[in-house]
């Protein structure tokens, strides 16, 4: 998966390298991932370690070049600093002390919660430190539903703590209840965990990057966890997960990662969690529910081929756009390996497609050429050149090699960043071997090879200059055609 191009340069990007080398540098968000920055025409590619949770260096400044690694003493020193920084937070409680602390909070009738500091006011003289802060009186109901007390962290590239709407929460709850799971593993889905917390079946455990939850749950049902790095912040965090899964028979793994997260690293963490379940109980059944936008479904399929997209539109309570009642319908979908024929969608907005044997939105029409219902919840048409359904007002652009709005800025056609040739991605370049996770040579899949289309190979300055001229000419013609359209008089 590629990150956003930097500084507006075309053909630049960053790719994550998996598996991560042993003993990577750490930041307060956990162990770093190894990335490689590349650009078209550059023979050398820079490899570096960066934060696994935040892609923006304004949020986390960790940056270590692979060829200039930290010494062992510096690695240990920085790790100790970050661990100490985490322990100094007002809400921090160690795994050993959490059970007693949570019991006090749940049974006290005089407890207050500071929404400014995101911590409980426990000591009698402590309110003096919260003079200008927002304090609320807590109850058993509020402390067992912490998402109603705490302010959500809504960084798209980090926590992305957008909470499910009531309709979405009810749909997922019914979906899980119908399958009669014995255990529920909630990764970044606190609203779902709150529904099943304390229930006999299924037993629920929350894994989340937001460590403020340590105040509300004992270590047996919550662990501070980074899903991008599959990392437990407490040394005995994985031990508690193993204890939780000890008697598991049917496990549901539901995760809602940030939309800015790389699908490849999330898929890698899913594989490790599934392997852990199978290690504890080889006979256990595991069903995954990965919540991600439909326009990233192809990346989900690449890393988890068994997952299929369910057409249910996931909505959020506190998202500025993807919420109920908004004119823009949510593009977020549920990707699962549960048979779609077993999932019943609400009758209000959905219908059953006999050809797909699944529920789809009422406005969606089955495409005989794609042999499925398109995920786009708007009028569509089938593009023969793109070999997929696109929005009905899109036109195919030969220069962009895809369907685009009638007025758009053409981009450079796709070429490999390593060999500058069309027909394959950098990951499948035939000039490079040993770039797979298992170290074996990676061959180009048949569907990734050149299909006979005409591509531009940006190898000379003259060709680049001619391409820029062609873009300007096309954009001028498009503007002229718009001016010629006369608006009828009222």
């Amino acid at each position: 998966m590629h990150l956003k191009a930097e500084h507006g340069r075309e053909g630049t990007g960053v790719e994550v390298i998996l598996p991560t080398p042993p003993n990577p540098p750490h930041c307060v968000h956990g162990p770093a991932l190894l990335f490689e920055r590349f650009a078209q025409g550059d023979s050398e590619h820079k490899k570096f370690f960066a934060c696994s949770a935040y892609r923006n260096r304004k949020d986390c400044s960790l940056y270590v070049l692979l060829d200039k690694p930290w010494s062992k003493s510096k690695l240990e020193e920085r790790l100790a600093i970050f661990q100490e920084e985490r322990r100094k937070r007002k809400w921090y409680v160690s795994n050993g002390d959490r059970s007693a602390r949570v019991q006090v909070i749940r049974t006290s009738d005089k407890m207050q919660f500071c929404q400014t500091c995101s911590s409980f006011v426990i000591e009698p003289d402590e309110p003096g430190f919260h003079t200008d802060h927002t304090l609320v009186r807590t109850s058993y109901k509020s402390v067992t539903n912490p998402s109603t007390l705490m302010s959500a962290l809504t960084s798209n590239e980090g926590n992305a703590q957008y909470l499910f709407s009531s309709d979405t929460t009810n749909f997922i709850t019914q979906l899980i209840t119908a399958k009669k799971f014995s255990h529920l593993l909630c990764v970044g889905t606190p609203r779902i965990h709150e529904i099943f917390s304390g229930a006999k079946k299924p037993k629920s455990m929350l894994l989340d990057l937001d460590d403020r939850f340590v105040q509300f749950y004992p270590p047996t049902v919550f662990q501070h966890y980074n899903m991008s790095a599959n990392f437990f912040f407490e040394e005995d965090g994985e031990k508690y997960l193993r204890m939780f899964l000890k008697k598991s028979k049917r496990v549901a793994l539901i995760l809602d990662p940030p939309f800015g997260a790389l699908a490849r690293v999330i898929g890698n963490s899913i594989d490790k969690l599934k392997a852990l379940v199978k290690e504890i109980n080889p006979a256990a059944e595991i069903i995954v529910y990965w919540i991600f936008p439909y326009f990233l479904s192809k990346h989900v399929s690449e890393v988890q081929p068994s997952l299929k997209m369910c057409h249910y539109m996931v909505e959020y309570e506190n998202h500025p756009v993807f919420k109920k009642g908004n004119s823009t319908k949510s593009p977020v979908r549920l990707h699962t390996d549960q048979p779609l024929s077993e999932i019943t969608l609400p009758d209000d907005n959905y219908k059953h497609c006999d050809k797909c044997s699944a529920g789809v939105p009422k406005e969606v029409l089955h495409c005989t050429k794609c042999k499925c219902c398109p995920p786009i919840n708007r009028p569509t048409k089938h593009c023969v050149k793109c070999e997929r359904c696109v929005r009905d007002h899109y036109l195919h652009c030969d220069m962009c090699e895809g369907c685009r709005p009638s007025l758009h800025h053409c981009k450079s056609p796709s070429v490999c960043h390593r060999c500058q040739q069309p027909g394959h991605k950098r990951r499948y370049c035939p000039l490079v071997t040993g770039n797979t996770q298992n170290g074996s040579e990676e061959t180009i899949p048949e569907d990734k090879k050149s299909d006979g289309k005409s591509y531009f190979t940006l190898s000379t300055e003259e060709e680049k200059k001619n391409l820029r001229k062609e873009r300007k000419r096309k954009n001028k013609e498009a503007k002229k055609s718009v001016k010629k359209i006369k608006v009828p008089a009222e």
Side-chain angles (χ1 to χ4, degrees):
M1 307 301 111
H2 299 298
L3 306 186
K4 187 177 180 181
E6 298 182 346
H7 309 301
R9 290 181 60 192
E10 289 185 357
T12 64
V14 177
E15 189 175 77
V16 66
I17 299 176
L18 294 175
T20 306
N23 301 319
H26 279 61
C27 66
V28 72
H29 308 112
L33 293 176
L34 181 62
F35 297 91
E36 182 178 9
R37 181 180 289 111
F38 54 87
Q40 289 183 2
D42 292 347
S43 57
E44 297 182 1
H45 306 286
K46 188 180 293 185
K47 295 182 179 180
F48 61 93
F49 289 100
C51 180
S52 57
Y54 290 88
R55 283 165 33 187
N56 193 331
R57 289 182 64 187
K58 292 181 180 179
D59 298 319
C60 183
S61 59
L62 180 66
Y63 181 84
V64 182
L65 292 173
L66 181 63
D67 55 0
K68 295 181 181 179
W70 287 349
S71 62
K72 184 178 180 180
S73 59
K74 187 174 181 179
L75 279 170
E76 294 174 352
E77 178 186 351
R78 293 298 293 268
L79 179 59
I81 291 173
F82 290 132
Q83 289 176 341
E84 184 63 25
E85 181 182 341
R86 192 170 62 87
R87 294 190 184 102
K88 286 182 178 179
R89 293 174 177 173
K90 290 185 178 182
W91 53 78
Y92 175 78
V93 187
S94 65
N95 279 346
D97 300 330
R98 276 167 59 187
S99 296
R101 174 76 173 270
V102 171
Q103 184 66 21
V104 171
I105 289 173
R106 291 188 175 185
T107 55
S108 175
D109 57 351
K110 297 182 179 179
M111 192 68 65
Q112 287 183 307
F113 185 80
C114 178
Q115 293 182 324
T116 307
C117 298
S118 295
S119 62
F120 284 95
V121 181
I122 297 178
E123 300 298 330
D125 58 343
E126 196 175 343
F129 296 98
H130 304 271
T131 305
D132 300 326
H133 296 180
T134 303
L135 296 175
V136 294
R137 181 76 64 182
T138 63
S139 62
Y140 181 82
K141 182 179 180 180
S142 63
V143 297
T144 52
N145 294 272
S147 65
T148 62
L149 280 178
M150 298 189 299
S151 300
L153 307 175
T154 54
S155 169
N156 286 328
E157 295 180 351
N159 293 88
Q161 210 168 58
Y162 297 113
L163 305 171
F164 295 138
S165 66
S166 58
D167 289 346
T168 298
T169 302
N170 292 335
F171 172 76
I172 296 176
T173 301
Q174 293 172 7
L175 191 65
I176 292 171
T177 305
K179 289 294 290 182
K180 297 181 179 180
F181 291 103
S182 63
H183 291 70
L184 174 61
L185 200 54
C186 300
V187 184
T189 53
R191 274 282 165 89
I192 304 302
H193 175 70
E194 289 172 2
I195 297 294
F196 293 98
S197 179
K200 291 184 178 180
K201 278 192 176 183
K203 293 182 178 180
S204 178
M205 186 173 190
L206 175 65
L207 306 179
D208 203 287
L209 186 62
D210 187 358
D211 59 341
R212 297 179 298 172
F213 287 110
V214 298
Q215 307 169 93
F216 301 91
Y217 298 115
T220 52
V221 295
F222 170 75
Q223 283 299 319
H224 189 198
Y225 174 78
N226 180 342
M227 76 171 81
S228 294
N230 188 42
F231 175 74
F232 293 88
F233 287 84
E234 296 291 338
E235 291 182 0
D236 53 356
E238 185 175 325
K239 182 191 78 172
Y240 278 101
L241 177 59
R242 287 178 175 272
M243 290 170 54
F244 171 77
L245 295 170
K246 192 172 183 180
K247 296 182 179 180
S248 60
K249 294 181 180 179
R250 177 178 286 181
V251 182
L253 173 59
I254 178 168
L255 63 157
D256 185 18
F259 299 159
L262 295 174
R264 198 168 162 212
V265 297
I266 300 299
N268 184 55
S269 295
I270 291 175
D271 287 336
K272 291 181 179 179
L273 289 173
K274 289 169 69 176
L276 179 63
V277 175
K278 287 294 185 182
E279 178 187 337
I280 297 169
N281 186 358
E285 179 187 357
I286 310 166
I287 295 182
V288 178
Y289 300 96
W290 181 351
I291 297 167
F292 227 38
Y294 72 75
F295 48 80
L296 296 175
S297 292
K298 62 179 181 180
H299 300 314
V300 174
S301 299
E302 286 178 0
V303 297
Q304 293 289 325
S306 62
L307 301 187
K308 306 300 179 184
M309 191 196 74
C310 171
H311 282 263
Y312 182 80
M313 289 177 278
V314 177
E315 296 175 333
Y316 296 91
E317 181 182 274
N318 58 331
H319 196 282
V321 180
F322 308 147
K323 58 185 178 182
K324 187 176 181 179
N326 201 318
S327 58
T328 302
K329 294 184 179 181
S330 173
V332 188
R333 301 290 186 270
L334 202 66
H335 300 80
T336 179
D337 46 6
Q338 179 182 346
L340 299 183
S341 57
E342 297 180 0
I343 302 176
T344 303
L345 303 187
D347 295 333
D348 296 343
N349 302 311
Y350 301 90
K351 63 181 180 180
H352 184 79
C353 177
D354 295 331
K355 295 179 180 178
C356 293
S357 297
V360 298
K362 287 184 176 180
E363 62 269 21
V364 171
L365 299 176
H366 187 88
C367 179
T368 55
K369 295 180 180 178
C370 294
K371 297 182 180 180
C372 67
C373 291
I376 306 172
N377 47 1
R378 296 184 183 184
T380 59
K381 65 179 181 181
H382 186 86
C383 177
V384 178
K385 294 183 179 179
C386 292
E387 297 180 348
R388 63 185 178 91
C389 287
V390 297
R391 294 186 183 182
D392 61 350
H393 65 279
Y394 277 22
L395 299 175
H396 190 86
C397 176
D398 292 329
M399 185 172 292
C400 293
E401 298 169 0
C403 286
R404 303 286 186 272
S406 56
L407 291 178
H408 68 279
H409 294 288
C410 293
K411 297 180 180 179
S412 302
S414 301
V415 294
C416 173
H417 290 88
R418 291 189 184 275
C419 66
Q420 299 294 296
Q421 298 302 316
H424 63 270
K425 292 184 178 180
R426 176 177 178 272
R427 191 181 306 160
Y428 304 109
C429 183
L431 299 182
V432 181
T433 59
N435 56 355
T436 59
Q437 292 189 27
N438 58 12
S440 61
E441 183 175 353
E442 186 167 8
T443 58
I444 307 174
E446 290 297 326
D447 59 343
K448 304 292 182 183
K449 293 182 179 180
S450 178
D451 52 5
K453 294 181 182 179
S454 58
Y455 293 86
F456 288 90
T457 304
L458 307 180
S459 56
T460 66
E461 289 299 325
E462 184 65 27
E463 289 174 341
K464 292 180 182 179
K465 185 177 178 181
N466 293 336
L467 181 59
R468 286 193 291 268
K469 287 182 179 180
E470 180 64 19
R471 284 185 196 153
K472 289 181 180 180
R473 183 191 65 78
K474 186 177 178 181
N475 289 332
K476 284 182 179 180
E477 289 181 354
K479 289 179 181 179
K480 287 180 181 179
S481 62
V482 172
K483 290 180 180 179
K484 289 180 180 179
I485 299 175
K486 295 182 180 180
V487 180
E490 296 182 357

